[in-house]
């Protein structure tokens, strides 16, 4: 099979497509002939040597894929060879074949083509689990999404708006902010020349954000607490702004607020399988009715993986970058 191999840790140039031995499913696993995969921010961190795969996971980069079932491991039920599927992975997606626990395999959503489906599992599972299963976002609440034009952000805006929340988001260009409004954002904030705390307070008559979905980490920690409404929930899913920050506990106590840090990749298989099942139940109908849709910046062949990582690092994309096989 073909797979992207990293020649040590470093820039995009360390990646190349090579022939490697085929992988075969073990008990409870499904082998997928991959049609497409998608690039995630975590992939860049893994390439740089900062985000190793969990124990037992493939060293090949790639956290999601779409394709057809190629083989079934012992004890797997509910799938047949040839079924079109997409999957949430702990690794291995940048390859022509991957094995994955059966509970993390999902049907391709109605109305989504097989290649585009590769851009869905990671964002759908991340957004649904964090905003709804963890933060308990409710209709009518105010949500602040940082990085609204990225893969996570574009999906979070749509899903939150479709379920009745009021969405505010940050981004760095007027063009990206305009696109966020098209997706359903009620308030858009240019983080380069606006203070998002002041902007959110102005937009909510001083109330603040009930939920904040944050990909920055340490850099925004203090201001994210500032922007929280009483009983607000800050959910941190990324570390683009560093890992160590100062938390004003007195301020958090005064708001009866919560700071929650979560990751998806390192969860036990049972936890990820439960998230996938909940996503199929609650998010797939939204995709079928087109009230939510994956945003794909563009597709390119797996052999252009270096260019794909360069594009992700440039920040000039909107939504997901898909690699086809």
């Amino acid at each position: 099979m073909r797979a992207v191999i990293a020649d040590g840790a470093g820039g995009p140039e360390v990646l190349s497509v090579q022939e490697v031995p085929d992988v075969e499913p073990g008990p409870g696993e499904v082998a997928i002939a991959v049609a497409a995969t998608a690039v995630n921010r975590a992939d860049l961190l893994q390439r740089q040597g900062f985000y190793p795969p969990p124990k037992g996971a493939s060293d090949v980069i790639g956290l999601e894929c779409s394709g057809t079932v190629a083989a079934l491991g012992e004890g797997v039920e509910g799938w047949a060879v040839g079924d079109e599927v997409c999957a949430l992975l702990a690794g291995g997606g940048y390859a022509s074949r991957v094995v994955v626990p059966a509970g993390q395999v999902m049907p391709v959503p109605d109305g989504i083509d097989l290649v585009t489906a590769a851009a869905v599992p990671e964002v759908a599972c991340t957004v649904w689990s964090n905003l709804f299963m963890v933060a308990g976002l409710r209709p009518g609440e105010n949500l602040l999404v940082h990085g609204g034009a990225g893969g996570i952000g574009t999906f979070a805006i749509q899903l939150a708006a479709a379920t009745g929340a009021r969405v505010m988001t940050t981004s760095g260009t007027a063009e990206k902010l305009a696109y966020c409004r098209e997706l359903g954002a009620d308030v858009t904030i240019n983080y380069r020349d606006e203070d998002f705390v002041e902007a959110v307070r102005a937009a909510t008559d001083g109330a603040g954000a009930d939920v904040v979905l944050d990909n920055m980490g340490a850099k925004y920690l203090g201001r994210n607490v500032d922007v929280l409404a009483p009983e607000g929930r800050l959910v941190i899913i990324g570390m683009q702004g560093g890992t160590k920050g100062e938390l004003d506990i007195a301020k958090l106590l005064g708001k009866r607020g919560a700071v929650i840090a979560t990751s998806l990749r390192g969860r036990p298989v049972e936890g990820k399988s439960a998230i996938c099942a909940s996503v199929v139940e609650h998010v797939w109908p939204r995709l079928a009715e087109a009230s939510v849709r994956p945003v794909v910046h563009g597709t390119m062949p797996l052999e252009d993986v270096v260019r794909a990582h360069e594009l992700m690092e440039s920040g000039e994309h909107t939504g997901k970058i898909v690699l086809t096989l």
Side-chain angles (χ1 to χ4, degrees):
M1 70 182 204
R2 292 182 298 144
V4 172
I5 302 300
D7 181 19
E13 69 280 356
V14 305
L15 302 176
S16 64
V17 178
Q18 301 180 25
E19 292 288 333
V20 299
D22 283 348
V23 291
E24 298 297 338
E29 293 182 330
V30 174
I32 299 172
V34 177
T37 185
V39 181
N40 289 280
R41 184 68 57 177
D43 301 348
L44 277 59
L45 293 175
Q46 181 172 338
R47 188 204 73 222
Q48 294 162 353
F50 300 131
Y51 192 35
K55 185 178 180 180
S58 171
D59 290 332
V60 174
I61 298 172
L63 299 178
E64 58 191 332
C65 73
S66 61
T68 57
V69 174
L72 302 175
E74 181 183 349
V76 174
E77 298 178 350
W79 299 110
V81 172
D83 286 346
E84 292 192 344
V85 296
C86 57
L88 180 71
L89 311 173
Y94 289 19
S96 57
R97 184 178 171 103
V98 68
V99 294
V100 57
Q104 294 167 219
V105 180
M106 298 171 281
V108 171
D110 290 342
I112 304 294
D113 65 85
L114 186 61
V115 169
T116 302
V120 177
E122 180 72 15
V123 292
C125 290
T126 297
V127 171
W128 177 257
S129 65
N130 283 291
L131 288 187
F132 297 93
M133 298 175 73
V134 172
L137 182 68
R138 297 182 291 271
E141 287 194 315
N142 293 312
L143 167 68
L144 173 61
V145 177
H146 288 298
I152 296 294
T154 53
F155 204 88
I157 289 169
Q158 294 178 83
L159 189 57
T163 54
R166 185 177 186 225
V167 183
M168 302 168 284
T169 192
T170 63
S171 195
T173 70
E175 293 78 13
K176 288 184 176 181
L177 291 172
Y179 190 69
C180 290
R181 288 192 291 273
E182 291 179 15
L183 294 176
D186 299 283
V187 177
T188 56
I189 305 158
N190 190 323
Y191 65 78
R192 298 184 190 278
D193 53 27
E194 295 180 82
D195 183 330
F196 70 79
V197 177
E198 294 180 359
V200 169
R201 286 175 176 167
T204 60
D205 295 326
D210 299 294
V211 176
V212 177
L213 186 65
D214 175 61
N215 60 356
M216 292 300 292
K219 183 177 180 179
Y220 279 7
L221 180 59
R223 288 196 291 158
N224 277 333
V225 172
D226 287 341
V227 84
L228 283 181
E231 299 185 359
R233 292 86 74 196
L234 165 60
V235 184
I236 302 172
I237 61 170
M239 304 174 291
Q240 293 181 41
T243 61
K244 295 181 180 180
E246 186 171 303
L247 177 64
D248 188 334
I249 296 175
K251 187 175 294 183
L252 192 65
L253 284 170
K255 295 188 174 189
R256 304 180 302 282
V259 177
I260 309 159
T262 77
S263 68
L264 187 58
R265 186 185 196 184
R267 295 185 189 221
V269 169
E270 295 78 11
K272 286 185 280 191
S273 297
I275 289 171
C276 289
S278 187
V279 163
V280 170
E281 179 182 356
H282 297 285
V283 180
W284 265 214
R286 297 287 187 183
L287 292 166
E289 70 187 18
S291 62
V292 177
R293 58 186 176 85
V295 176
V296 175
H297 178 87
T299 63
M300 56 186 75
L302 186 69
E303 286 72 17
D304 284 346
V305 62
V306 170
R307 184 161 62 93
H309 273 230
E310 289 172 344
L311 176 58
M312 170 72 82
E313 288 185 334
S314 75
E316 295 176 0
H317 64 293
T318 298
K320 298 296 289 278
I321 302 165
V322 172
L323 296 169
T324 58
L325 288 96

